[in-house]
Amino acid sequence: MTLSRSKSAEKLNQFPGIAFDDPAAMGQRGQWSQFFRRRIGERFDGRIIVEVGCFDAAYLCRIATKFPGTAFVGLDWKCKAIVDGAVRVVDQNLNNVALVRARGQDLLKIFGEAAIDHVWIFHPDPFAGAHELKNRLIAGPFLQDAHVAL
């Protein structure tokens, strides 16, 4: 028997095709366009926009309603935020939004080369101290991965 990380982590399974944990998202690598083509249908414009640190996907869902042919993927590390976002996606019946519980540092493991069109980061790096530089997302390795994924 595997112990769950939290009650919210257990709830991720209640949203198949909307909320992914990091291993499942990595299994989607190279297949996001096909995934959204199936979900969105003919109106899919082929664009995939990723928001790193999407929290509960409130902003992402607001934009997704205005652009129903564009695919949006929200990444956040917190299970509860992803579950709350998935509830919002279901409530708004948004076929063009998927949510991933993962670290921003895993962007290239999730999407692969030339797989996305935009990366949005609205609230980057709370790690201000010099001793915390190693924890910063906005650094060389992430920027190189984002370049490849774009």
Side-chain angles (χ1 to χ4, degrees):
M1 178 171 121
T2 304
L3 295 177
S4 170
R5 295 183 298 264
S6 68
K7 289 181 182 181
S8 294
E10 293 171 8
K11 292 179 183 179
L12 283 177
N13 295 331
Q14 296 175 6
F15 302 97
I18 294 170
F20 298 84
D21 62 4
D22 38 359
M26 290 174 193
Q28 284 286 117
R29 188 176 193 266
Q31 299 175 31
W32 287 102
S33 282
Q34 298 92 319
F35 170 81
F36 281 112
R37 190 160 308 284
R38 285 190 305 273
R39 287 190 49 114
I40 298 171
E42 288 182 14
R43 66 182 178 190
F44 179 46
D45 63 18
R47 295 185 314 149
I48 299 175
I49 296 173
V50 176
E51 182 183 2
V52 177
C54 69
F55 189 58
D56 65 0
Y59 180 74
L60 199 64
C61 289
R62 196 164 48 245
I63 297 299
T65 60
K66 295 179 182 184
F67 299 94
T70 300
F72 295 88
V73 181
L75 267 71
D76 205 287
W77 184 243
K78 304 279 186 180
C79 287
K80 182 171 180 354
I82 294 297
V83 169
D84 291 347
V87 168
R88 185 182 314 276
V89 169
V90 169
D91 287 349
Q92 295 181 21
N93 196 30
L94 295 170
N95 292 328
N96 61 333
V97 177
L99 302 170
V100 177
R101 189 244 168 229
R103 299 170 352 122
Q105 291 89 336
D106 292 329
L107 185 75
L108 195 54
K109 294 176 184 175
I110 296 167
F111 295 101
E113 187 174 335
I116 59 177
D117 297 282
H118 297 267
V119 176
W120 295 347
I121 305 172
F122 295 111
H123 304 284
D125 297 327
F127 302 106
H131 66 283
E132 296 176 312
L133 286 177
K134 67 182 183 298
N135 297 322
R136 292 186 73 102
L137 174 64
I138 309 300
F142 173 78
L143 295 174
Q144 289 172 346
D145 288 352
H147 177 76
V148 172
L150 291 164

